[in-house]
Amino acid sequence: MGHMPAEPINPPPRLLMGPGPINADPRVLRAMSAQLVGQYDPAMTAYMNETMELYRGVFRTSNEATLLVDGTSRAGIEAALVSLLEPGDIVLVPIFGRFGHLLREIAERAQADVRVIEREWGTVFTPGEIEAAIIEHKPKVLAVVHGDTSTTVAQPLDELGAICQRHGVLLYSDTTASLAGNTFETDEWGLDVVTAGLQKCLGGPSGSAPITMSPAAVEVINSRKSIEAGIRSEGDAVSAHPIRSNYFDLSQILDYWGPKRLNHHTEATSMLYGARECARLLVKEGIPNAVERHRLHGGAMVAGLDAMGFRLFGDQSVRMNNVVGVYIPDGIDGDAARAAMLNDFGIEIGTSFGPLHGKVWRIGVMGYNTRRDAVLTTLATLEQVLRAGGVPITAGSGVGAAVDFYG
């Protein structure tokens, strides 16, 4: 055929200032290049145990059942929902952005009886609205996104745990976009299951989904346990109605990470190294310090965008620290401007989905990119691209306002 052999992978230099993925911390990439060991090598099982303990710190929990699901953040979501929900179980999903629709979709595929409440993108629910829906629908599980990157806002969860406990409901939250950049208290807020991903505030690559499960959630999951025939021992549970996915069967995954060391799958070793390093760096920094870092640099970005005359999208009182939405200025072709930023300056910002497509840009400040230089360079670049498109902007206004914000 005469095809040229492929060249080594050599990505163009990019500063990723969109809603995620972002540039991974070089220390995480270095950890991922470490040599493999066998799955039951004492070094490997020790790394697994260390990773569990580190993520207890990240999630702010004492849950023993804290581990990794191998796959992107969506793998964690799917594992949580398919393991908690049996066909016919009622689940309530409050939808306020794209990722609420995803929870609904996954729960429907798990054959749950899905009930939803919806509200305008850019806003969140009151605890009273959610409690009223719980009283009406009597769900087994309340499944709610914490920070929805599609709209930049985070649903306050601090009162929902007590509400769920009062009504005997399990509380699950997807924190992919928010964890480590915004205050999140698994135990204090009464969460039963929480899932995340690495590619946003945790500063790693996509491909590993940290998850934590309360004892109440573990009890529900283990009540559905069914060990596959090829690895079954005398007396092992076998169910006529097992969890509908083998790969995302948390009852078997728990036995793999636990003392049984059930040979359910081969752990994604290089991803575990990366996930462990993400958590190690965060725990060493202190989670409250990491949240403050995202507040500082995210705030500087907002101050700069505001000074440049951008109109901010969404309810700013509940905006995540790490992502801001802005209306695209009149007369600017959003996609062409983003292409100019990428091609001329090597900086990526995000477009948006659904009802916001073509109307809003999303700019992220998270993980390794929570740096003064990244914020100021992005603002300076945006100014050049907008001026080229005919938007009148006072020279240096965005960068100046951000510098003032840093004080």
Side-chain angles (χ1 to χ4, degrees), residues 78-91:
E78 186 138 346
L81 293 177
V82 79
S83 298
L84 286 172
L85 298 168
E86 297 186 49
D89 280 345
I90 297 173
V91 56

Side-chain angles (χ1 to χ4, degrees), residues 35-279:
Q35 186 54 272
L36 306 182
V37 290
Q39 292 290 296
Y40 296 98
D41 189 305
M44 181 64 183
T45 53
Y47 289 145
M48 291 172 76
N49 291 342
E50 288 163 8
T51 301
M52 293 172 83
E53 182 57 31
L54 286 165
Y55 275 97
R56 290 180 192 115
V58 173
F59 281 117
R60 311 273 292 177
T61 184
S62 58
N63 290 339
E64 192 182 339
T66 303
L67 45 87
L68 303 175
V69 174
D70 294 344
T72 62
S73 23
R74 188 172 300 218
I77 298 170
E78 186 138 346
L81 293 177
V82 79
S83 298
L84 286 172
L85 298 168
E86 297 186 49
D89 280 345
I90 297 173
V91 56
L92 175 64
V93 184
I95 299 177
F96 57 99
R98 175 194 164 180
F99 293 100
H101 286 291
L102 176 65
L103 299 189
R104 166 200 221 161
E105 147 99 9
I106 291 173
E108 281 172 351
R109 288 183 184 231
Q111 295 183 297
D113 176 355
V114 186
R115 314 288 175 87
V116 303
I117 50 176
E118 292 196 55
R119 57 177 309 157
E120 190 188 346
W121 287 31
T123 68
V124 295
F125 295 88
T126 65
E129 286 170 325
I130 291 174
E131 183 162 26
I134 285 174
I135 291 166
E136 183 187 344
H137 296 291
K138 302 183 174 55
K140 173 183 177 179
V141 175
L142 172 66
V144 59
V145 174
H146 182 223
D148 198 312
T149 29
S150 68
T151 70
T152 77
V153 301
Q155 172 63 49
L157 300 178
D158 52 326
E159 294 179 44
L160 299 188
I163 290 170
C164 285
Q165 207 154 23
R166 220 166 28 241
H167 299 286
V169 176
L170 289 172
L171 176 54
Y172 160 67
S173 186
D174 161 24
T175 66
T176 303
S178 56
L179 192 68
N182 304 271
T183 301
F184 190 88
E185 299 286 345
T186 298
D187 287 2
E188 198 181 302
W189 294 351
L191 275 291
D192 287 295
V193 181
V194 185
T195 63
L198 306 184
Q199 74 276 16
K200 304 201 190 263
C201 302
L202 275 79
S206 181
S208 181
I211 184 171
T212 187
M213 295 158 266
S214 71
V218 170
E219 198 177 318
V220 168
I221 292 163
N222 280 340
S223 74
R224 306 182 64 198
K225 185 180 289 192
S226 194
I227 306 298
E228 60 193 78
I231 52 176
R232 209 177 280 158
S233 307
E234 194 67 38
D236 274 352
V238 183
S239 168
H241 305 284
I243 289 168
R244 292 294 176 210
S245 168
N246 175 296
Y247 189 68
F248 294 131
D249 180 342
L250 287 171
S251 69
Q252 293 193 84
I253 294 172
L254 280 162
D255 278 345
Y256 176 55
W257 284 79
K260 274 192 181 163
R261 299 290 172 196
L262 178 81
N263 189 6
H264 171 257
H265 64 284
T266 300
E267 183 54 27
T269 310
S270 302
M271 280 310 310
L272 178 128
Y273 294 166
R276 179 183 175 279
E277 184 67 0
C278 288

Side-chain angles (χ1 to χ4, degrees), residues 283-361:
V283 168
K284 185 178 172 194
E285 178 183 11
I287 300 300
N289 297 329
V291 170
E292 173 56 26
R293 166 168 53 88
H294 284 82
R295 188 203 65 78
L296 174 68
H297 296 288
M301 180 66 84
V302 170
L305 293 167
D306 190 44
M308 285 166 69
F310 276 105
R311 194 157 62 92
L312 303 181
F313 172 79
D315 179 348
Q316 295 302 297
S317 71
V318 288
R319 184 184 56 77
M320 283 185 278
N321 289 328
N322 52 294
V323 58
V324 56
V326 292
Y327 288 96
I328 301 167
D330 288 341
I332 290 288
D333 175 334
D335 289 340
R338 287 176 59 245
M341 286 188 73
L342 191 68
N343 299 330
D344 297 341
F345 298 92
I347 298 180
E348 179 175 280
I349 64 169
T351 179
S352 41
F353 306 113
L356 305 180
H357 186 70
K359 296 178 186 163
V360 169
W361 284 328

